[in-house]
């Protein structure tokens, strides 16, 4: 376990530790902030990324107003012991602009999350003629039947050794599972948190 004393901040001038936050699942760089000893120790104690605000001269835990907290998974120091890397699981967008990251780099989260967002918007807007809308109208029982159906078809293709068909059926399975998750108010992040908890 790292301690604040493991770092050499003699060259920083202000005694603050630069902390880079990275999504533990996608490895996307989310933001950068600064920590003093108190912020570092609070982060370690509560498991949520906490910074020292240089403008307000006070501690602030990321997400304390927005709800988009950063749950610490792992912490590493760099080769010079003057920078901290934190791998964390975000509750939502990290940037105050509502974007995943404070850096305008291409999104590396993958299409599954993008599709999950599309499904969520379909549920909110319920556009007429949309297959997803029709599924939500039919309700969880009908959506669940589709999940079971697509799971069965995926297994059949796996048993038959047909990789291309397996990919096709798995894609149907993932889509319908995302619809059922949305119906149940469960996000991809919820599943990732559960899996991460089991892994730890």
């Amino acid at each position: 376990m790292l301690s604040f004393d493991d770092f050499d901040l003699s060259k920083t001038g202000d005694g603050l530790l630069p902390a880079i936050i990275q999504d533990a699942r996608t490895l996307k760089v989310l933001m950068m902030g600064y920590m003093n000893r108190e912020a570092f120790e609070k982060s370690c104690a509560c498991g949520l990324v906490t910074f020292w605000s240089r403008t307000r001269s006070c501690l602030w835990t990321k997400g304390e107003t927005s709800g988009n907290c950063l749950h610490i998974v792992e912490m590493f120091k760099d080769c010079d012991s003057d920078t901290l890397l934190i791998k964390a699981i975000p509750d939502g967008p990290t940037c105050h602009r509502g974007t995943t990251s404070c850096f305008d780099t291409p999104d590396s989260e993958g299409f599954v999350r993008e599709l999950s967002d599309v499904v969520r918007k379909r549920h909110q807007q319920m556009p007429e003629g949309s297959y997803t809308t029709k599924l939500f109208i039919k309700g969880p029982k009908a959506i669940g039947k589709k999940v079971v159906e697509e799971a069965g078809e995926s297994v059949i293709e796996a048993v038959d050794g047909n990789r291309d068909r397996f990919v096709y059926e798995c894609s149907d399975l993932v889509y319908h599972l995302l619809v059922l998750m949305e119906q149940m108010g469960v996000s991809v992040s919820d599943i990732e948190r559960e899996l991460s908890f089991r892994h730890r």
Side-chain angles (χ1 to χ4, degrees):
M1 184 71 176
L2 286 175
S3 74
F4 196 74
D5 292 326
D6 291 325
F7 295 90
D8 177 11
L9 303 180
S10 59
K11 299 176 184 177
T12 65
D14 54 11
L16 294 178
L17 176 64
I20 300 167
I21 316 302
Q22 182 182 39
D23 192 309
R25 303 153 313 193
T26 68
L27 304 185
K28 185 178 182 68
V29 175
L30 301 177
M31 68 175 298
M32 186 267 203
Y34 294 89
M35 294 181 172
N36 60 5
R37 179 181 295 274
E38 189 179 1
F40 180 89
E41 291 177 350
K42 182 177 180 181
S43 296
C44 293
C46 70
L48 298 176
V49 175
T50 301
F51 295 109
W52 172 257
S53 172
R54 295 175 299 168
T55 55
R56 293 176 291 159
S57 297
C58 66
L59 293 181
W60 66 282
T61 299
K62 183 72 179 77
E64 60 190 1
T65 54
S66 67
N68 297 329
C69 297
L70 294 166
H71 300 265
I72 298 172
V73 176
E74 296 176 292
M75 301 171 73
F76 304 90
K77 64 176 181 176
D78 76 328
C79 58
D80 293 323
S81 299
D82 60 7
T83 305
L84 174 66
L85 172 66
I86 299 178
K87 290 189 175 184
I89 296 177
D91 279 336
T94 298
C95 186
H96 69 280
R97 301 171 300 174
T99 55
T100 300
S101 170
C102 294
F103 299 95
D104 294 326
T105 56
D107 215 348
S108 60
E109 291 182 335
F111 183 69
V112 170
R113 284 180 175 273
E114 185 178 333
L115 181 59
S116 179
D117 288 339
V118 171
V119 169
R120 178 176 50 80
K121 289 174 183 175
R122 291 285 192 275
H123 195 200
Q124 292 172 345
Q125 300 166 1
M126 298 292 278
E128 190 175 345
S130 164
Y131 174 67
T132 308
T133 298
K134 292 176 183 176
L135 286 173
F136 284 128
I137 291 172
K138 290 179 180 178
K141 187 174 181 179
I143 302 169
K145 282 184 177 180
K146 287 298 296 180
V147 171
V148 171
E149 175 188 328
E150 301 301 344
E153 291 176 357
S154 297
V155 171
I156 289 170
E157 299 301 341
V159 171
D160 288 345
N162 191 337
R163 185 183 184 281
D164 290 342
R165 288 297 305 174
F166 178 72
V167 169
Y168 182 88
E169 297 299 345
C170 275
S171 299
D172 282 347
L173 172 60
V174 169
Y175 160 73
H176 286 94
L177 183 59
L178 288 174
V179 175
L180 186 59
M181 287 166 56
E182 170 63 24
Q183 176 73 44
M184 296 300 297
V186 174
S187 68
V188 174
S189 294
D190 291 328
I191 302 301
E192 288 170 335
R193 273 194 296 274
E194 175 64 21
L195 291 171
S196 177
F197 174 77
R198 293 182 189 184
H199 177 69
R200 290 199 298 272

Coordinates of all heavy atoms in Angstrom, one line a residue, residues 89-177:
I89 N -12.9 3.4 -11.1 CA -14.1 3.2 -11.8 C -15.0 4.4 -11.6 O -15.4 4.7 -10.4 CB -14.8 1.9 -11.2 CG1 -13.9 0.7 -11.5 CG2 -16.2 1.7 -11.9 CD1 -14.5 -0.6 -11.0
P90 N -15.3 5.1 -12.6 CA -16.2 6.3 -12.5 C -17.7 5.9 -12.4 O -18.1 5.0 -13.1 CB -15.9 7.1 -13.8 CG -15.5 6.0 -14.8 CD -14.8 4.9 -14.0
D91 N -18.4 6.7 -11.7 CA -19.8 6.5 -11.6 C -20.6 7.1 -12.8 O -21.7 6.8 -13.0 CB -20.4 7.2 -10.3 CG -20.2 6.3 -9.1 OD1 -20.1 5.0 -9.3 OD2 -20.2 6.8 -8.0
G92 N -19.9 8.0 -13.5 CA -20.6 8.7 -14.6 C -19.5 9.5 -15.3 O -18.3 9.3 -15.1
P93 N -19.9 10.5 -16.1 CA -18.9 11.4 -16.8 C -18.0 12.1 -15.8 O -18.4 12.5 -14.7 CB -19.8 12.4 -17.5 CG -21.2 11.8 -17.6 CD -21.3 10.9 -16.4
T94 N -16.7 12.1 -16.1 CA -15.8 12.7 -15.2 C -15.7 14.2 -15.3 O -15.5 14.9 -14.3 CB -14.4 12.1 -15.4 OG1 -14.4 10.6 -15.2 CG2 -13.3 12.7 -14.5
C95 N -15.7 14.7 -16.5 CA -15.6 16.1 -16.8 C -16.9 16.9 -16.4 O -18.0 16.4 -16.6 CB -15.2 16.4 -18.2 SG -14.8 18.1 -18.6
H96 N -16.7 18.2 -16.0 CA -17.8 19.0 -15.7 C -18.7 19.3 -16.9 O -19.8 19.8 -16.8 CB -17.4 20.3 -15.0 CG -16.6 21.2 -16.0 ND1 -15.3 21.0 -16.3 CD2 -17.0 22.3 -16.7 CE1 -14.9 22.0 -17.1 NE2 -16.0 22.8 -17.4
R97 N -18.1 19.1 -18.1 CA -18.8 19.3 -19.4 C -19.8 18.2 -19.7 O -20.6 18.3 -20.6 CB -17.8 19.4 -20.5 CG -16.8 20.6 -20.4 CD -15.8 20.5 -21.5 NE -15.0 19.2 -21.4 CZ -14.1 18.8 -22.3 NH1 -13.9 19.6 -23.4 NH2 -13.5 17.7 -22.2
G98 N -19.7 17.1 -18.9 CA -20.6 16.0 -19.1 C -20.0 14.9 -20.0 O -20.6 14.0 -20.4
T99 N -18.7 15.1 -20.3 CA -18.0 14.1 -21.1 C -17.3 13.1 -20.3 O -17.0 13.3 -19.1 CB -16.9 14.8 -22.0 OG1 -16.0 15.6 -21.2 CG2 -17.6 15.8 -23.0
T100 N -16.9 12.0 -20.9 CA -16.3 10.9 -20.2 C -15.0 11.3 -19.6 O -14.6 11.0 -18.4 CB -16.0 9.7 -21.1 OG1 -17.2 9.3 -21.7 CG2 -15.3 8.6 -20.4
S101 N -14.2 12.1 -20.3 CA -12.9 12.5 -19.9 C -12.7 14.1 -20.0 O -13.4 14.7 -20.8 CB -11.8 11.9 -20.7 OG -10.5 12.4 -20.5
C102 N -11.8 14.6 -19.2 CA -11.5 16.0 -19.3 C -10.6 16.3 -20.5 O -10.4 17.4 -20.9 CB -10.7 16.5 -18.1 SG -11.8 16.4 -16.6
F103 N -10.1 15.2 -21.1 CA -9.2 15.3 -22.3 C -10.0 14.9 -23.6 O -10.8 13.9 -23.6 CB -8.0 14.4 -22.2 CG -7.1 14.7 -21.0 CD1 -7.3 14.0 -19.8 CD2 -6.2 15.7 -21.1 CE1 -6.5 14.3 -18.7 CE2 -5.3 16.0 -20.0 CZ -5.5 15.3 -18.8
D104 N -9.9 15.7 -24.6 CA -10.7 15.5 -25.8 C -10.0 14.5 -26.7 O -9.7 14.7 -27.9 CB -10.9 16.8 -26.6 CG -11.8 17.8 -25.8 OD1 -12.7 17.3 -25.1 OD2 -11.5 19.0 -25.9
T105 N -9.8 13.3 -26.2 CA -9.2 12.2 -27.0 C -10.3 11.3 -27.5 O -11.4 11.3 -26.9 CB -8.2 11.3 -26.1 OG1 -9.0 10.9 -25.0 CG2 -7.0 12.2 -25.7
P106 N -10.1 10.5 -28.5 CA -11.1 9.7 -29.0 C -11.6 8.7 -27.9 O -10.8 8.2 -27.1 CB -10.4 8.9 -30.2 CG -9.3 9.8 -30.6 CD -8.8 10.5 -29.3
D107 N -12.9 8.5 -27.9 CA -13.5 7.6 -26.9 C -12.9 6.2 -27.1 O -13.0 5.6 -28.1 CB -15.0 7.6 -27.0 CG -15.6 7.5 -25.6 OD1 -14.9 7.2 -24.7 OD2 -16.9 7.7 -25.5
S108 N -12.5 5.6 -26.0 CA -11.9 4.2 -26.1 C -12.8 3.2 -25.3 O -12.4 2.2 -25.0 CB -10.5 4.2 -25.5 OG -10.5 4.6 -24.1
E109 N -14.0 3.6 -25.0 CA -14.9 2.8 -24.2 C -15.5 1.6 -25.0 O -15.9 0.6 -24.5 CB -16.0 3.6 -23.5 CG -15.4 4.5 -22.5 CD -16.5 5.2 -21.8 OE1 -17.6 5.4 -22.4 OE2 -16.3 5.6 -20.6
G110 N -15.5 1.8 -26.4 CA -16.1 0.7 -27.2 C -17.5 0.9 -27.5 O -18.2 1.7 -26.9
F111 N -18.0 0.2 -28.5 CA -19.4 0.4 -29.0 C -20.4 -0.1 -28.0 O -21.6 0.3 -28.1 CB -19.5 -0.3 -30.3 CG -20.8 -0.1 -31.0 CD1 -21.2 1.2 -31.4 CD2 -21.8 -1.1 -31.1 CE1 -22.4 1.4 -32.0 CE2 -23.0 -0.9 -31.6 CZ -23.3 0.4 -32.1
V112 N -20.1 -1.1 -27.1 CA -21.1 -1.6 -26.2 C -21.7 -0.5 -25.4 O -22.9 -0.4 -25.2 CB -20.6 -2.7 -25.4 CG1 -21.6 -3.1 -24.3 CG2 -20.3 -4.0 -26.2
R113 N -20.9 0.4 -24.9 CA -21.4 1.5 -24.1 C -22.2 2.5 -24.9 O -23.2 3.0 -24.5 CB -20.2 2.2 -23.4 CG -19.7 1.5 -22.2 CD -18.6 2.2 -21.5 NE -18.2 1.5 -20.3 CZ -18.7 1.7 -19.1 NH1 -19.7 2.6 -19.0 NH2 -18.3 1.1 -18.1
E114 N -21.7 2.7 -26.1 CA -22.4 3.6 -27.1 C -23.8 3.0 -27.3 O -24.8 3.7 -27.3 CB -21.7 3.7 -28.4 CG -22.3 4.7 -29.3 CD -21.4 4.9 -30.6 OE1 -20.2 4.7 -30.5 OE2 -22.0 5.2 -31.6
L115 N -23.9 1.7 -27.6 CA -25.2 1.0 -27.8 C -26.1 1.1 -26.6 O -27.3 1.3 -26.7 CB -24.9 -0.4 -28.2 CG -26.2 -1.2 -28.5 CD1 -27.0 -0.6 -29.6 CD2 -25.8 -2.7 -28.9
S116 N -25.4 1.0 -25.4 CA -26.2 1.1 -24.1 C -26.8 2.5 -24.0 O -28.0 2.6 -23.6 CB -25.3 0.8 -23.0 OG -25.9 0.9 -21.7
D117 N -26.1 3.5 -24.4 CA -26.6 4.9 -24.4 C -27.8 5.0 -25.4 O -28.8 5.7 -25.1 CB -25.5 5.9 -24.7 CG -24.5 6.0 -23.6 OD1 -24.9 5.7 -22.5 OD2 -23.4 6.5 -23.9
V118 N -27.7 4.4 -26.6 CA -28.8 4.4 -27.6 C -30.0 3.8 -27.0 O -31.1 4.3 -27.1 CB -28.3 3.7 -28.9 CG1 -29.5 3.6 -29.8 CG2 -27.2 4.5 -29.6
V119 N -29.8 2.6 -26.4 CA -31.0 1.9 -25.8 C -31.6 2.7 -24.7 O -32.8 2.8 -24.6 CB -30.5 0.5 -25.2 CG1 -31.6 -0.1 -24.3 CG2 -30.1 -0.4 -26.3
R120 N -30.8 3.4 -23.9 CA -31.3 4.3 -22.8 C -32.2 5.4 -23.4 O -33.3 5.7 -22.9 CB -30.2 4.8 -21.9 CG -30.6 5.8 -20.8 CD -29.4 6.2 -20.0 NE -28.3 6.7 -20.8 CZ -28.3 7.9 -21.3 NH1 -29.2 8.8 -21.1 NH2 -27.2 8.3 -22.0
K121 N -31.7 6.0 -24.4 CA -32.4 7.1 -25.1 C -33.7 6.6 -25.7 O -34.7 7.3 -25.7 CB -31.5 7.8 -26.1 CG -30.4 8.6 -25.5 CD -29.4 9.2 -26.5 CE -28.3 9.9 -25.9 NZ -27.2 10.3 -26.9
R122 N -33.7 5.4 -26.3 CA -34.9 4.9 -26.9 C -35.9 4.7 -25.8 O -37.1 4.9 -25.9 CB -34.6 3.5 -27.5 CG -33.8 3.6 -28.8 CD -34.6 4.1 -30.0 NE -33.8 3.9 -31.2 CZ -32.9 4.7 -31.7 NH1 -32.6 5.8 -31.0 NH2 -32.3 4.4 -32.8
H123 N -35.5 4.2 -24.6 CA -36.4 4.0 -23.5 C -37.0 5.3 -23.0 O -38.1 5.4 -22.6 CB -35.6 3.3 -22.3 CG -36.5 2.7 -21.3 ND1 -36.1 2.4 -20.0 CD2 -37.8 2.4 -21.3 CE1 -37.1 1.9 -19.3 NE2 -38.1 1.9 -20.1
Q124 N -36.2 6.4 -23.0 CA -36.6 7.7 -22.6 C -37.6 8.3 -23.6 O -38.6 8.9 -23.2 CB -35.4 8.6 -22.3 CG -34.5 8.3 -21.2 CD -33.3 9.1 -21.1 OE1 -32.9 9.8 -22.1 NE2 -32.6 9.0 -20.0
Q125 N -37.3 8.2 -24.8 CA -38.0 8.9 -25.9 C -39.1 8.0 -26.5 O -40.1 8.5 -27.1 CB -37.1 9.4 -27.0 CG -36.0 10.3 -26.4 CD -34.9 10.6 -27.4 OE1 -34.9 10.0 -28.5 NE2 -33.9 11.4 -27.0
M126 N -38.9 6.7 -26.5 CA -39.9 5.7 -27.0 C -40.3 6.1 -28.5 O -41.5 6.3 -28.7 CB -41.1 5.6 -26.1 CG -40.8 5.0 -24.7 SD -40.2 3.3 -24.7 CE -41.8 2.5 -24.8
P127 N -39.4 6.3 -29.4 CA -39.8 6.7 -30.8 C -40.6 5.6 -31.5 O -40.4 4.4 -31.3 CB -38.4 6.9 -31.5 CG -37.5 6.0 -30.7 CD -38.0 6.0 -29.3
E128 N -41.6 6.1 -32.1 CA -42.5 5.2 -32.8 C -41.8 4.4 -33.9 O -41.0 5.0 -34.7 CB -43.7 5.9 -33.4 CG -44.8 5.1 -33.9 CD -46.0 5.9 -34.4 OE1 -46.1 7.1 -34.0 OE2 -46.9 5.3 -35.1
G129 N -42.1 3.1 -34.1 CA -41.5 2.3 -35.2 C -40.2 1.7 -34.8 O -39.6 0.9 -35.6
S130 N -39.6 2.0 -33.6 CA -38.3 1.5 -33.2 C -38.5 0.1 -32.6 O -39.4 -0.1 -31.8 CB -37.7 2.4 -32.1 OG -36.7 1.7 -31.4
Y131 N -37.7 -0.9 -33.0 CA -37.8 -2.2 -32.5 C -37.5 -2.2 -31.0 O -38.2 -2.9 -30.2 CB -36.7 -3.1 -33.2 CG -36.6 -4.5 -32.6 CD1 -37.7 -5.4 -32.7 CD2 -35.5 -4.9 -31.9 CE1 -37.6 -6.7 -32.1 CE2 -35.4 -6.2 -31.4 CZ -36.4 -7.1 -31.5 OH -36.4 -8.3 -30.9
T132 N -36.6 -1.4 -30.5 CA -36.3 -1.3 -29.1 C -37.5 -0.7 -28.3 O -37.8 -1.2 -27.3 CB -35.1 -0.3 -28.9 OG1 -34.0 -0.7 -29.7 CG2 -34.7 -0.3 -27.4
T133 N -38.2 0.2 -28.9 CA -39.4 0.7 -28.3 C -40.5 -0.4 -28.1 O -41.1 -0.5 -27.1 CB -40.0 1.9 -29.1 OG1 -39.1 3.0 -29.2 CG2 -41.4 2.4 -28.6
K134 N -40.6 -1.2 -29.2 CA -41.6 -2.3 -29.1 C -41.2 -3.3 -28.0 O -42.1 -3.8 -27.3 CB -41.6 -3.0 -30.5 CG -42.2 -2.2 -31.6 CD -42.1 -2.9 -32.9 CE -42.6 -2.0 -34.1 NZ -42.5 -2.7 -35.4
L135 N -40.0 -3.5 -27.8 CA -39.5 -4.4 -26.7 C -39.9 -3.8 -25.4 O -40.4 -4.5 -24.5 CB -38.0 -4.7 -26.8 CG -37.5 -5.6 -27.9 CD1 -36.0 -5.6 -28.0 CD2 -38.0 -7.0 -27.7
F136 N -39.7 -2.5 -25.2 CA -40.0 -1.9 -23.9 C -41.5 -1.9 -23.7 O -42.0 -2.1 -22.5 CB -39.5 -0.5 -23.8 CG -38.0 -0.4 -23.6 CD1 -37.2 0.4 -24.5 CD2 -37.4 -1.1 -22.6 CE1 -35.8 0.4 -24.2 CE2 -36.0 -1.0 -22.3 CZ -35.2 -0.2 -23.2
I137 N -42.3 -1.8 -24.7 CA -43.8 -1.8 -24.6 C -44.2 -3.2 -24.1 O -45.1 -3.3 -23.3 CB -44.4 -1.4 -25.9 CG1 -44.2 0.1 -26.2 CG2 -45.9 -1.7 -25.9 CD1 -44.7 0.5 -27.5
K138 N -43.6 -4.2 -24.6 CA -43.9 -5.6 -24.3 C -43.5 -6.0 -22.9 O -44.1 -6.8 -22.3 CB -43.3 -6.6 -25.3 CG -43.9 -6.5 -26.7 CD -43.2 -7.5 -27.6 CE -43.8 -7.4 -29.0 NZ -43.0 -8.3 -30.0
G139 N -42.5 -5.3 -22.4 CA -42.1 -5.5 -21.0 C -41.0 -6.5 -20.7 O -40.6 -7.2 -21.7
P140 N -40.6 -6.7 -19.4 CA -39.5 -7.5 -19.1 C -39.7 -9.0 -19.4 O -38.7 -9.7 -19.8 CB -39.4 -7.3 -17.6 CG -40.7 -6.8 -17.1 CD -41.2 -6.0 -18.3
K141 N -40.9 -9.5 -19.4 CA -41.1 -11.0 -19.7 C -40.7 -11.2 -21.1 O -40.0 -12.2 -21.5 CB -42.5 -11.4 -19.4 CG -42.7 -12.9 -19.5 CD -44.1 -13.3 -19.1 CE -44.3 -14.8 -19.2 NZ -45.7 -15.2 -18.7
A142 N -41.2 -10.4 -22.0 CA -40.9 -10.6 -23.5 C -39.5 -10.3 -23.8 O -38.9 -11.1 -24.6 CB -41.8 -9.6 -24.3
I143 N -38.9 -9.3 -23.2 CA -37.5 -9.1 -23.4 C -36.6 -10.2 -22.9 O -35.7 -10.7 -23.5 CB -37.0 -7.7 -22.7 CG1 -37.9 -6.6 -23.2 CG2 -35.5 -7.5 -22.9 CD1 -37.7 -5.3 -22.4
G144 N -37.0 -10.7 -21.7 CA -36.3 -11.9 -21.1 C -36.4 -13.1 -22.0 O -35.4 -13.9 -22.2
K145 N -37.5 -13.3 -22.7 CA -37.6 -14.5 -23.6 C -36.7 -14.3 -24.7 O -36.1 -15.3 -25.2 CB -39.1 -14.5 -24.1 CG -40.1 -15.2 -23.2 CD -41.4 -15.3 -23.8 CE -42.4 -16.0 -22.9 NZ -43.8 -16.1 -23.5
K146 N -36.5 -13.1 -25.2 CA -35.5 -12.9 -26.3 C -34.1 -13.1 -25.9 O -33.3 -13.7 -26.6 CB -35.7 -11.4 -26.9 CG -36.9 -11.2 -27.7 CD -37.0 -12.0 -28.9 CE -35.9 -11.7 -29.9 NZ -35.9 -12.5 -31.1
V147 N -33.8 -12.7 -24.6 CA -32.4 -13.0 -24.1 C -32.2 -14.5 -24.1 O -31.1 -15.0 -24.5 CB -32.3 -12.4 -22.7 CG1 -31.0 -12.8 -22.1 CG2 -32.3 -10.9 -22.8
V148 N -33.2 -15.3 -23.5 CA -33.0 -16.7 -23.5 C -32.9 -17.3 -24.9 O -32.0 -18.2 -25.1 CB -34.2 -17.3 -22.7 CG1 -34.2 -18.9 -22.8 CG2 -34.2 -16.9 -21.3
E149 N -33.7 -16.8 -25.8 CA -33.7 -17.3 -27.2 C -32.3 -17.1 -27.8 O -31.7 -18.0 -28.4 CB -34.8 -16.6 -28.0 CG -34.8 -17.0 -29.5 CD -35.7 -16.1 -30.3 OE1 -36.8 -15.7 -29.7 OE2 -35.4 -15.8 -31.4
E150 N -31.8 -15.9 -27.7 CA -30.5 -15.5 -28.3 C -29.3 -16.3 -27.6 O -28.4 -16.7 -28.2 CB -30.2 -14.0 -28.2 CG -31.3 -13.2 -29.0 CD -31.4 -13.5 -30.4 OE1 -30.5 -14.2 -31.0 OE2 -32.4 -13.1 -31.0
A151 N -29.5 -16.5 -26.3 CA -28.4 -17.3 -25.6 C -28.4 -18.7 -26.1 O -27.3 -19.3 -26.3 CB -28.7 -17.3 -24.0
G152 N -29.6 -19.3 -26.3 CA -29.7 -20.6 -26.8 C -29.1 -20.7 -28.2 O -28.3 -21.7 -28.5
E153 N -29.3 -19.8 -29.1 CA -28.8 -19.8 -30.4 C -27.3 -19.6 -30.4 O -26.6 -20.2 -31.2 CB -29.5 -18.7 -31.2 CG -31.0 -19.0 -31.5 CD -31.7 -17.9 -32.3 OE1 -31.1 -16.9 -32.5 OE2 -32.9 -18.1 -32.6
S154 N -26.8 -18.8 -29.5 CA -25.3 -18.6 -29.3 C -24.7 -19.9 -28.9 O -23.6 -20.3 -29.5 CB -25.0 -17.5 -28.3 OG -25.5 -16.3 -28.7
V155 N -25.3 -20.6 -28.0 CA -24.7 -21.9 -27.6 C -24.7 -22.9 -28.7 O -23.7 -23.7 -28.9 CB -25.5 -22.5 -26.3 CG1 -25.0 -23.9 -26.0 CG2 -25.3 -21.6 -25.1
I156 N -25.8 -23.0 -29.5 CA -25.9 -23.9 -30.6 C -24.7 -23.7 -31.6 O -24.0 -24.6 -32.0 CB -27.2 -23.8 -31.3 CG1 -28.3 -24.4 -30.4 CG2 -27.2 -24.5 -32.7 CD1 -29.7 -24.1 -30.9
E157 N -24.5 -22.4 -31.9 CA -23.4 -22.1 -32.8 C -22.0 -22.4 -32.2 O -21.1 -22.8 -33.0 CB -23.4 -20.6 -33.2 CG -24.7 -20.2 -33.9 CD -25.0 -21.0 -35.2 OE1 -24.1 -21.6 -35.8 OE2 -26.2 -21.0 -35.7
A158 N -21.9 -22.2 -30.9 CA -20.6 -22.6 -30.3 C -20.4 -24.1 -30.3 O -19.2 -24.5 -30.6 CB -20.6 -22.1 -28.8
V159 N -21.4 -24.9 -30.0 CA -21.3 -26.3 -30.1 C -21.0 -26.8 -31.5 O -20.2 -27.7 -31.7 CB -22.6 -27.0 -29.6 CG1 -22.6 -28.5 -29.8 CG2 -22.8 -26.7 -28.1
D160 N -21.5 -26.1 -32.5 CA -21.3 -26.5 -33.9 C -19.9 -26.0 -34.4 O -19.5 -26.3 -35.5 CB -22.4 -26.0 -34.8 CG -23.7 -26.7 -34.6 OD1 -23.7 -27.8 -34.0 OD2 -24.8 -26.2 -35.0
G161 N -19.3 -25.2 -33.6 CA -18.0 -24.7 -34.0 C -18.0 -23.6 -35.0 O -17.0 -23.4 -35.7
N162 N -19.2 -22.9 -35.2 CA -19.3 -21.9 -36.2 C -19.0 -20.6 -35.7 O -19.9 -19.9 -35.1 CB -20.8 -22.0 -36.8 CG -20.9 -21.2 -38.1 OD1 -20.1 -20.2 -38.3 ND2 -21.9 -21.5 -38.9
R163 N -17.8 -20.1 -35.8 CA -17.4 -18.9 -35.1 C -18.1 -17.6 -35.6 O -18.6 -16.8 -34.9 CB -15.9 -18.6 -35.3 CG -15.3 -17.4 -34.6 CD -13.9 -17.2 -34.9 NE -13.4 -16.1 -34.1 CZ -13.5 -14.8 -34.4 NH1 -14.2 -14.5 -35.5 NH2 -13.0 -13.8 -33.6
D164 N -18.3 -17.5 -37.0 CA -19.0 -16.3 -37.5 C -20.4 -16.2 -37.1 O -20.9 -15.2 -36.7 CB -18.9 -16.4 -39.0 CG -17.5 -16.1 -39.6 OD1 -16.7 -15.6 -38.8 OD2 -17.2 -16.4 -40.8
R165 N -21.1 -17.4 -37.1 CA -22.5 -17.4 -36.6 C -22.6 -17.1 -35.1 O -23.5 -16.5 -34.6 CB -23.2 -18.7 -36.9 CG -23.5 -18.9 -38.4 CD -24.5 -17.9 -38.9 NE -25.7 -17.9 -38.2 CZ -26.7 -17.0 -38.4 NH1 -26.5 -16.0 -39.3 NH2 -27.8 -17.0 -37.6
F166 N -21.6 -17.6 -34.4 CA -21.5 -17.4 -32.9 C -21.4 -15.9 -32.6 O -22.1 -15.4 -31.8 CB -20.3 -18.2 -32.3 CG -20.2 -17.9 -30.9 CD1 -21.1 -18.5 -29.9 CD2 -19.1 -17.2 -30.4 CE1 -20.9 -18.3 -28.6 CE2 -19.0 -17.0 -29.0 CZ -19.9 -17.5 -28.1
V167 N -20.5 -15.2 -33.4 CA -20.4 -13.8 -33.2 C -21.7 -13.1 -33.5 O -22.1 -12.2 -32.8 CB -19.3 -13.2 -34.1 CG1 -19.3 -11.7 -34.2 CG2 -17.9 -13.7 -33.7
Y168 N -22.4 -13.5 -34.6 CA -23.7 -12.9 -34.9 C -24.7 -13.1 -33.8 O -25.4 -12.1 -33.4 CB -24.2 -13.6 -36.2 CG -25.4 -13.0 -36.8 CD1 -25.4 -11.9 -37.6 CD2 -26.7 -13.5 -36.4 CE1 -26.6 -11.4 -38.1 CE2 -27.9 -13.0 -36.9 CZ -27.8 -11.9 -37.7 OH -29.0 -11.4 -38.2
E169 N -24.8 -14.3 -33.3 CA -25.8 -14.6 -32.3 C -25.5 -13.9 -31.0 O -26.4 -13.5 -30.2 CB -26.0 -16.1 -32.1 CG -26.5 -16.9 -33.3 CD -27.9 -16.4 -33.8 OE1 -28.6 -15.7 -33.0 OE2 -28.3 -16.7 -34.9
C170 N -24.2 -13.9 -30.7 CA -23.8 -13.2 -29.4 C -24.1 -11.7 -29.5 O -24.4 -11.1 -28.5 CB -22.2 -13.4 -29.2 SG -21.8 -14.9 -28.4
S171 N -24.0 -11.1 -30.7 CA -24.3 -9.7 -30.8 C -25.8 -9.5 -30.6 O -26.1 -8.5 -29.9 CB -23.9 -9.3 -32.3 OG -22.6 -9.4 -32.5
D172 N -26.6 -10.4 -31.0 CA -28.1 -10.3 -30.7 C -28.3 -10.5 -29.2 O -29.1 -9.8 -28.6 CB -28.8 -11.4 -31.5 CG -29.1 -11.1 -32.9 OD1 -28.9 -9.9 -33.3 OD2 -29.5 -12.0 -33.7
L173 N -27.6 -11.4 -28.6 CA -27.7 -11.6 -27.2 C -27.3 -10.4 -26.4 O -28.1 -10.0 -25.5 CB -26.8 -12.8 -26.8 CG -26.7 -13.1 -25.3 CD1 -28.1 -13.4 -24.7 CD2 -25.7 -14.3 -25.0
V174 N -26.2 -9.8 -26.7 CA -25.7 -8.6 -26.0 C -26.7 -7.5 -26.1 O -27.0 -6.8 -25.1 CB -24.3 -8.2 -26.4 CG1 -23.9 -6.8 -25.9 CG2 -23.3 -9.2 -26.0
Y175 N -27.2 -7.3 -27.3 CA -28.2 -6.2 -27.5 C -29.4 -6.4 -26.7 O -29.9 -5.5 -26.0 CB -28.6 -6.1 -29.0 CG -29.9 -5.4 -29.2 CD1 -30.0 -4.0 -29.1 CD2 -31.1 -6.1 -29.5 CE1 -31.2 -3.4 -29.2 CE2 -32.3 -5.5 -29.6 CZ -32.4 -4.1 -29.5 OH -33.6 -3.4 -29.6
H176 N -30.0 -7.6 -26.7 CA -31.2 -7.8 -25.9 C -31.0 -7.8 -24.4 O -31.8 -7.4 -23.7 CB -31.9 -9.2 -26.3 CG -32.5 -9.1 -27.7 ND1 -31.9 -9.5 -28.8 CD2 -33.8 -8.7 -28.0 CE1 -32.7 -9.3 -29.9 NE2 -33.9 -8.8 -29.4
L177 N -29.8 -8.2 -24.0 CA -29.4 -8.1 -22.6 C -29.3 -6.7 -22.2 O -29.7 -6.3 -21.1 CB -28.1 -8.8 -22.4 CG -27.6 -8.9 -20.9 CD1 -28.6 -9.6 -20.0 CD2 -26.3 -9.6 -20.8

